[in-house]
Structure formats: structure tokens, C-alpha cells
Amino acid sequence: MEESTGLEQMICFELYAASRAMTGLYRPALDALGITYPQYAALRVIWHRGRITVRDLGAALRLDSGTLSPLLKRLEHQGLIRRERGTHDERVVWISPTDAGTDLEHRVADLPERLACALDLSAEEFQTLQHLLGRIRGAATRTI
Amino acid sequence: MEESTGLEQMICFELYAASRAMTGLYRPALDALGITYPQYAALRVIWHRGRITVRDLGAALRLDSGTLSPLLKRLEHQGLIRRERGTHDERVVWISPTDAGTDLEHRVADLPERLACALDLSAEEFQTLQHLLGRIRGAATRTI
DNA sequence: CGCAATTGAGTTGTGCGCAACCTATGTGTG
DNA sequence: CACACATAGGTTGCGCACAACTCAATTGCG
């Protein structure tokens, strides 16, 4: 029996700790590929869309340009993505995976499933969690 | 209908986004008090225990000394906590709230309830979420 | 006792997250 | 057309997280 810390009843803390625990679960696999967890999340969206603006990527990840600009610069330096100024509207920057980036996609194809297994949740629990997290995110972002 | 991003099915991403949304929900209230969310989490434990070593605080928050040392130094500079070298074992540092720190506790007493309300979850959903997050954290930390 | 191994805290370096601000480009209105 | 305004992306600064490391104090074992 652990000593009480007064945090047990705080959903916010559970969320914060669970989120960090989860990225820790991804870390060994991602370290081997030379990318971080937020970089991986960004790549998932880029792979899925094929070609996306920094703005839309930020909307998908809920991250602003202050976070994304340096992150994308690092992915570009690693040769995983390409950045091109839009020709029609020169304010926008289009992101797309390079060949090396697409290659990486195939090497991590089984990662989500492997790690979902590690969590040992039933399909039903999984769905419940997803629903509740969505509602939290909705409520929290709406209030702002 | 939003465009698909390929992240919908990834519980890890929902967790990551929900956690950030939640700290964003706390931000206005904590900004007014001049503390950050991790500082607030640390203070909750310190208030609850009255007196705690850096080691035990780290175990409660799942944070290492690399994160806690500078965080505690900032709380000390703000006059909210005291740091004292242990007399019996001079390696350990004991953390305790100052009068100003205890005062702050009273001013945030209603914060968890206020923010729990903003989430608009039923008591049952709340409990389900707590249980599932606990299992995730357990599974993720056990695997390491 | 003497010395290797362990432990507790701190430091350094890297990469987020986010606020605040900047610049360039585009849009809308009179 | 001119000028205010909005928008896209970038920069700076600060505070986490976490790995890797240092150092001092303590413990354990022959």
C-alpha cells in the first residue's frame, strides 16, 4: 500500500501521468528510429494526408507554429519531409514526406497495434476511453 | 465534418491532446496565482504530506530530479516552499510549504471542483475514466 | 576497518508546448 | 488605387520532461 499523495482524486493528474507513461511506452521504438513522439504524431498526419499545410497540420495536432516550426525543421534536416512555399499563396508552406519519410512509414506500420496490445485493454474499454478523452478535449478546448 | 487526419484511432494521441487541453483549462486560474501546472501538481503533494523528500515527491509525481530540482528551486524563489538538508541523512532534501505556500493552498481549495464541473462528466464517467487511466499508466510503467 | 557499490540530489543538453511578438503576404472596403 | 485588417509561418523566451552525467553521503561486504 503506497502512501497517500492527495493526487488520487484528480483526473487532471491521472491524465498528465498517463500521457507521459504512454509516450514512455513509445520511446524505445521511436528512439531506434531517431524520432521523438511529437515528431511521430506529426508524421502520422503527414503520411495520411500526403501533402498538408503547416496550418492544417497544427489544427490536426492542436499545436501552433511556435511548436511546429522547429519540429518540422528537424524532420526536414533528417530528410524525412520536404517543405515548399505555396505558389498560389506564398504565405503557406506545404509539407510532404520524402522517399525516406515514406520508407519510415512502412517500418512503423505495426507500431500502433503492438503498443495497443501492451496496454491490455478490451475493445470495449478502448472505445469507452476514446469517447471520454474526446469529451474532455472537447470540453476543455470549448471553454477557452 | 472535419477532414480525416489518421489520428482518430490512436488512443495515444487522444491522451496526449486531452492532457494538453486539460492543462490549458487550468492555465488561466494558475496564471493568476503565478504558478504553472506541474508546480501546482507538486504543491498538491507537498500540501497533503506537509513535509516530503524530493525522492518521495518524485515517486508521487513520476518525475525525476532533473525535472524537480529546477521546479522546486523556482517554488523556493517564489517563497512558497522551504528546502532543508536532512540532518540524519545529509543526502536527502526535505520540502515543506512556507506560510505563503499554505496560504496559497486555501486560495485554490475550490479549483479541482470548479474544473471538474467544466468537464461535464457524470460521476460514473469520471470513475470509469479514472480506472482506465490508472490501468494505462500501470501497463505503461510496468512494461519499462 | 577499508573500499566498492548504491543512493539522493543536482547539472547539462535536447526537444517540446505555449505565450508574445514579428514579418510577409493576401483580402476587403471605401 | 490606398489603406486597414487578417492570415500563415517564423522567432524568442521560459518552463517542463527526460537522458546522461557529476558529486557527496551512505551502505554493504570481505
Side-chain angles (χ1 to χ4, degrees):
Chain A
M1 188 64 174
E2 249 180 54
E3 268 197 78
S4 166
T5 58
L7 290 174
E8 296 76 18
Q9 296 314 310
M10 298 179 64
I11 209 72
C12 58
F13 176 74
E14 287 295 331
L15 210 45
Y16 165 69
S19 174
R20 284 186 292 120
M22 181 70 99
T23 72
L25 196 56
Y26 270 80
R27 204 181 311 281
L30 296 181
D31 272 356
L33 301 169
I35 59 175
T36 66
Y37 180 80
Q39 287 169 14
Y40 170 70
L43 283 171
R44 294 277 308 186
V45 179
I46 296 166
W47 288 327
H48 191 260
R49 292 275 189 99
R51 181 173 154 80
I52 189 173
T53 65
V54 173
R55 189 193 103 90
D56 287 350
L57 182 57
L61 296 166
R62 271 81 186 179
L63 291 172
D64 67 4
S65 69
T67 301
L68 281 179
S69 284
L71 185 152
L72 293 172
K73 199 185 287 182
R74 282 185 283 270
L75 287 180
E76 189 184 33
H77 283 150
Q78 288 190 64
L80 296 173
I81 63 164
R82 220 185 325 271
R83 294 203 291 177
E84 304 161 287
R85 248 329 135 175
T87 48
H88 176 62
D89 184 340
E90 289 192 12
R91 289 171 305 177
V92 315
V93 169
W94 289 92
I95 308 294
S96 53
T98 59
D99 288 346
T102 302
D103 186 62
L104 189 62
E105 181 181 10
H106 303 132
R107 288 194 282 143
V108 297
D110 64 333
L111 192 57
E113 200 187 354
R114 274 203 293 131
L115 292 183
C117 286
L119 293 181
D120 194 31
L121 294 179
S122 72
E124 197 182 342
E125 290 173 319
F126 208 84
Q127 200 168 3
T128 303
L129 183 56
Q130 193 138 13
H131 170 73
L132 290 175
L133 290 176
R135 286 199 34 208
I136 285 199
R137 185 155 59 76
T141 49
R142 205 168 11 260
T143 315
I144 296 172
Chain B
M1 189 66 173
E2 248 180 56
E3 268 197 77
S4 168
T5 59
L7 290 174
E8 295 76 17
Q9 296 314 312
M10 297 179 61
I11 209 71
C12 58
F13 176 74
E14 287 296 330
L15 208 45
Y16 166 68
S19 174
R20 284 185 293 120
M22 180 71 99
T23 71
L25 197 56
Y26 270 80
R27 204 182 314 279
L30 297 181
D31 273 357
L33 301 169
I35 59 175
T36 65
Y37 180 80
Q39 285 169 16
Y40 170 69
L43 283 170
R44 294 277 310 186
V45 179
I46 296 166
W47 288 328
H48 191 261
R49 291 274 190 98
R51 182 173 155 80
I52 189 174
T53 66
V54 173
R55 190 194 102 89
D56 287 350
L57 183 57
L61 297 167
R62 270 83 186 177
L63 291 172
D64 67 4
S65 69
T67 301
L68 282 179
S69 285
L71 185 153
L72 293 172
K73 199 185 288 182
R74 282 185 282 270
L75 287 179
E76 188 184 33
H77 284 152
Q78 288 190 62
L80 296 173
I81 63 164
R82 221 186 322 271
R83 293 204 290 175
E84 303 162 287
R85 250 330 135 172
T87 48
H88 176 62
D89 184 340
E90 290 192 12
R91 288 172 305 179
V92 315
V93 169
W94 288 93
I95 308 294
S96 54
T98 59
D99 288 346
T102 302
D103 187 62
L104 188 62
E105 180 181 12
H106 302 133
R107 289 194 282 143
V108 297
D110 64 335
L111 192 56
E113 200 188 354
R114 276 202 292 131
L115 293 183
C117 286
L119 293 182
D120 194 31
L121 295 179
S122 71
E124 199 182 342
E125 289 173 320
F126 207 85
Q127 200 168 3
T128 303
L129 183 56
Q130 193 137 13
H131 170 73
L132 290 175
L133 290 176
R135 285 200 34 207
I136 284 201
R137 184 155 59 77
T141 49
R142 204 170 11 262
T143 315
I144 296 174

